[in-house]
Amino acid sequence: ERGGNNSFTHEALTLKYKLDNQFELVFVVGFQKILTLTYVDKLIDDVHKEFRDKYRNEFQQKGTLGLLNGTFDFKDDFMRLLRDAEESSKVRAPTVMKTFEQSLKSQKTVKCMIETRGEKPKEKVKNKKNKGSKKEGIEAVAAPGKALAGDKQPSTAGEKEELTKDEILQKNREEFFKRHMKAGEKSRSPKPEAQKEKGKKPRVWDLGNSNAKVLDYSNSATNGSAEACPVEEFDPDIALGDRNREPGRLYDLEYESDDEAEEEKVIQNPSKPSTKKGGLGGMFGMLKGLVGSKSLTREDMDPVLEKMKDHLIAKNVAAEIAVQLCESVAKKLEGKVMGTFTTVTSTVKQALQEALVQILQPQRRVDVLRDVMDAQRHRRPYVVTFCGVNGVGKSTNLAKISFWLIENGFSVLIAACDTFRAGAVEQLRTHTRRLNALHPPESHGGRTMVQLYEKGYGKDAAGIAMEAISYARNQGFDVVLVDTAGRMQDNAPLMTALAKLIAVNAPDLVLFVGEALVGNEAVDQLVKFNKALADHSMAQTPRLIDGIVLTKFDTIDDKVGAAISMTYITSKPIVFVGTGQTYCDLRSLNAKAVVAALMKA
């Protein structure tokens, strides 16, 4: 699924590879990364062609098992091809300068370069003509209005052309002054008797509270401390959503796909058109396109891949990722013999679906509950840090994850490390109060399940996180969720501060929070976040993003391309998916459901 990139770098080595899909062979060439070898692509192509032609019959007769038991004497051929490739890179034709006859200047005649005094260049004359036509158009539009006012206007264009340049300028000035004088007279209308009162009146909303004192917290002596805040009354059904769900369970993402019968067009080879135009010719042509008698070529796949690429981009997959995916599918299928009664479209679509599912399925599964229990055995809190750009829903989804952890029996400490955004601490305090109302200490043996650790605004976020982790260790909290300020990926000072927070506190899990609405920006965000964490970390092996939280998934219908873009760039799993406004609206990613939505027409 990542075959679009035909090279791989590991420490000091670079590997380049080529696939032979017909005989299921992989040709790999390895060389030192520091060397710049221009002949590598030619060498691997020559070796592929020579080796394939030499042992073609043996491949066809013995099959795959024969390859494993067989011996191939190819050393002499390889050394010959290597020498040829090295020699071809050395012999380069020197760059030849163009002669005067080949240049554009030689095509110009002497006559077109001569300028006569008093004669203007043709281009300037054309421009003046265009300007004149624009002026005439404007005056023609304004003419009816002026005629009603009784002004004298030239009736035809011929009269206007007879006037000299100075006369036209004078006439235009007079018209301009007349027009403005009339506009001034119209504006001098009698003043209304009822004058507007000076000063701004407060707006009163129809459904709002008319008593503004209820909303005035400016003179509060408590300064928003958690102990003095009144207990908020709210409906638990609104906060929880579905009351019939199983507590503590993280449901899979669901997608209802419509099984529509899609008409697949059979793409025939344009180089071999059918000679018969009758019914039999069309039928045989269709069978020729269906029966698996030939191997796929790039020319057969290009029209289908182009449509697939446009479809992926329309579904919010980043353009760069869509191109690489289609390139990977082409390399995977090129030279492969098609199955019986299969079309090019269905073969390409099936290969693309398999590649997308493979990308979404993580190489390393993140099991948060198992990791939390492992941290409990070592008597330390499990630390999760949330990072991302502004407004993607870090604090809201942090509260959803807190609710999920509490329902699984773990106590949570929320560290308010967003000391920049106004209202960030108050938002987390409200969530803490609501979560404690849903899970009061009485239901958990007198144990407070969620608590907020905050030091106000303008403080060092890394220091607050360190103090919160130490407090959680002393008080016996199971999980610490660190909320950070939103920052753009181009803001170097803020990215340095985030790298410092992660390097100093060494969290168990670093989650990047991204919204499902994003398109090409997903690539830029994740690449620059990872680059900033690597550049600003003092460790030899820097800590990068471990997983992704995909938010606002309920707003995009079937345009789920951001999930593909993010996982393709980072090779990291999507751990949580936010799908709504209640605490229960948290899901785990279902790769097949996402691909079904993505491939829907």
Side-chain angles (χ1 to χ4, degrees):
E1 68 278 3
R2 298 176 191 273
N5 306 322
N6 63 343
S7 64
F8 175 73
T9 303
H10 177 69
E11 295 179 358
L13 286 177
T14 297
L15 303 178
K16 281 199 171 185
Y17 55 88
K18 185 170 184 179
L19 306 177
D20 187 323
N21 295 302
Q22 186 175 355
F23 297 116
E24 297 184 348
L25 300 172
V26 185
F27 295 85
V28 186
V29 57
F31 54 94
Q32 294 290 332
K33 184 172 70 173
I34 198 169
L35 301 176
T36 307
L37 304 179
T38 56
Y39 59 82
V40 169
D41 292 329
K42 183 182 186 308
L43 174 65
I44 201 168
D45 287 341
D46 293 346
V47 169
H48 169 228
K49 188 178 178 184
E50 187 93 8
F51 188 85
R52 180 193 169 103
D53 293 345
K54 188 174 182 179
Y55 297 104
R56 177 188 290 271
N57 295 329
E58 194 171 339
F59 296 151
Q60 291 172 343
Q61 290 169 8
K62 294 184 179 179
T64 311
L65 292 174
L67 294 178
L68 297 174
N69 300 325
T71 55
F72 304 97
D73 184 17
F74 197 71
K75 185 175 181 181
D76 295 336
D77 297 319
F78 172 74
M79 295 309 294
R80 173 175 54 80
L81 292 171
L82 180 60
R83 282 195 299 271
D84 292 346
E86 288 175 344
E87 289 298 323
S88 67
S89 67
K90 291 176 185 175
V91 179
R92 286 186 180 178
T95 54
V96 182
M97 293 181 66
K98 286 183 180 179
T99 60
F100 178 74
E101 287 73 18
Q102 293 172 335
S103 66
L104 292 172
K105 195 172 182 180
S106 65
Q107 297 172 12
K108 292 182 179 180
T109 60
V110 178
K111 188 178 179 182
C112 72
M113 294 189 226
I114 298 171
E115 289 186 7
T116 312
R117 181 176 287 182
E119 198 176 285
K120 294 180 181 178
K122 289 181 180 179
E123 291 180 3
K124 292 183 180 179
V125 171
K126 282 181 184 176
N127 290 340
K128 287 213 169 184
K129 282 181 182 177
N130 291 338
K131 287 179 184 176
S133 64
K134 284 181 185 177
K135 282 184 182 178
E136 285 173 18
I138 293 164
E139 287 171 5
V141 171
K146 290 173 185 176
L148 289 172
D151 295 334
K152 291 181 181 179
Q153 293 290 335
S155 58
T156 60
E159 291 177 19
K160 190 162 187 176
E161 285 176 4
E162 290 173 7
L163 298 172
T164 62
K165 192 175 179 181
D166 294 335
E167 288 174 350
I168 291 169
L169 280 172
Q170 187 64 29
K171 194 170 184 64
N172 288 341
R173 281 177 188 166
E174 288 173 5
E175 288 172 5
F176 176 80
F177 285 121
K178 280 180 186 177
R179 195 160 56 242
H180 275 263
M181 288 291 287
K182 285 179 182 177
E185 288 172 6
K186 285 180 183 178
S187 63
R188 290 174 187 173
S189 57
K191 293 182 181 179
E193 294 177 3
Q195 293 286 340
K196 288 185 180 179
E197 294 181 9
K198 292 182 179 179
K200 188 176 179 181
K201 287 186 178 180
R203 177 176 291 180
V204 180
W205 298 100
D206 296 334
L207 301 175
N209 193 340
S210 59
N211 188 5
K213 291 181 180 179
V214 178
L215 303 174
D216 187 8
Y217 292 97
S218 58
N219 297 324
S220 176
T222 58
N223 198 17
S225 62
E227 294 78 11
C229 285
V231 177
E232 185 174 348
E233 294 180 3
F234 69 99
D235 187 2
D237 291 334
I238 297 172
L240 293 177
D242 185 12
R243 300 286 284 186
N244 299 322
R245 64 184 172 61
E246 185 182 337
R249 182 180 171 186
L250 194 64
Y251 289 89
D252 282 343
L253 195 67
E254 294 178 358
Y255 176 74
E256 295 178 3
S257 59
D258 303 329
D259 296 332
E260 299 172 353
E262 297 180 359
E263 295 179 3
E264 295 176 343
K265 296 179 181 178
V266 180
I267 298 171
Q268 297 182 9
N269 193 347
S271 61
K272 297 179 181 178
S274 177
T275 54
K276 297 181 181 179
K277 293 186 179 178
L280 284 174
M283 188 175 72
F284 283 122
M286 183 183 73
L287 288 174
K288 187 179 178 183
L290 287 173
V291 178
S293 60
K294 63 170 186 175
S295 58
L296 277 171
T297 62
R298 191 63 184 257
E299 288 74 23
D300 294 332
M301 293 185 288
D302 275 345
V304 184
L305 287 172
E306 189 64 30
K307 287 183 181 177
M308 289 290 178
K309 185 191 78 174
D310 295 340
H311 177 77
L312 290 174
I313 292 171
K315 294 280 185 170
N316 251 4
V317 178
E320 179 188 343
I321 307 298
V323 170
Q324 290 180 12
L325 278 169
C326 292
E327 189 66 26
S328 304
V329 170
K331 288 190 177 180
K332 187 179 178 181
L333 293 178
E334 193 172 1
K336 199 170 185 178
V337 177
M338 289 172 61
T340 310
F341 293 102
T342 55
T343 60
V344 177
T345 306
S346 62
T347 307
V348 172
K349 191 174 180 180
Q350 181 66 25
L352 184 61
Q353 280 181 336
E354 290 171 4
L356 292 171
V357 171
Q358 193 70 24
I359 285 167
L360 287 172
Q361 287 175 343
Q363 296 174 356
R364 170 185 170 266
R365 182 175 171 79
V366 176
D367 192 338
V368 176
L369 298 180
R370 184 196 62 194
D371 293 343
V372 172
M373 287 188 281
D374 185 58
Q376 274 184 329
R377 283 193 289 272
H378 291 88
R379 303 199 174 197
R380 65 174 185 82
Y382 183 78
V383 183
V384 184
T385 299
F386 294 81
C387 62
V389 299
N390 310 71
V392 292
K394 289 184 294 299
S395 302
T396 303
N397 284 274
L398 181 146
K400 291 180 185 180
I401 293 167
S402 300
F403 178 76
W404 173 67
L405 289 167
I406 293 165
E407 291 217 321
N408 281 282
F410 300 114
S411 58
V412 178
L413 180 69
I414 300 174
C417 295
D418 184 354
T419 61
F420 178 75
R421 177 171 64 90
V425 177
E426 286 75 14
Q427 182 184 2
L428 291 175
R429 186 179 288 122
T430 303
H431 281 305
T432 306
R433 196 165 58 232
R434 288 199 167 194
L435 290 170
N436 276 323
L438 291 169
H439 286 276
E442 295 81 29
S443 304
H444 298 274
R447 186 185 181 193
T448 303
M449 295 305 289
V450 59
Q451 194 172 329
L452 178 67
Y453 189 91
E454 54 99 356
K455 290 290 183 181
Y457 296 95
K459 308 290 193 307
D460 179 36
I464 294 174
M466 184 181 285
E467 291 175 19
I469 295 166
S470 176
Y471 179 81
R473 190 182 291 109
N474 296 334
Q475 298 296 321
F477 281 93
D478 300 320
V479 185
V480 179
L481 301 181
V482 181
D483 183 33
T484 62
R487 63 205 75 215
M488 293 306 293
Q489 64 270 21
D490 299 317
N491 194 323
L494 291 180
M495 293 307 297
T496 308
L498 178 64
K500 175 191 167 187
L501 185 146
I502 292 170
V504 168
N505 295 289
D508 298 282
L509 188 64
V510 179
L511 292 179
F512 176 84
V513 185
E515 58 184 6
L517 300 164
V518 77
N520 290 318
E521 188 72 6
V523 178
D524 192 51
Q525 286 176 6
L526 280 161
V527 167
K528 288 188 177 175
F529 260 82
N530 263 336
K531 187 175 183 299
L533 293 178
D535 290 348
H536 301 302
S537 176
M538 269 78 83
Q540 189 174 359
T541 54
R543 187 64 183 281
L544 304 179
I545 291 165
D546 299 317
I548 298 163
V549 179
L550 196 60
T551 66
K552 306 179 186 178
F553 207 79
D554 54 320
T555 64
I556 55 169
D557 193 26
D558 59 352
K559 291 181 171 56
V560 295
I564 298 291
S565 301
M566 290 182 180
T567 47
Y568 190 93
I569 284 295
T570 58
S571 301
K572 300 297 180 185
I574 294 175
V575 186
F576 300 105
V577 180
T579 59
Q581 300 297 319
T582 68
Y583 288 129
C584 298
D585 291 327
L586 196 67
R587 300 285 183 271
S588 62
L589 188 80
N590 183 353
K592 290 182 179 177
V594 172
V595 173
L598 195 67
M599 299 304 291
K600 180 184 173 185

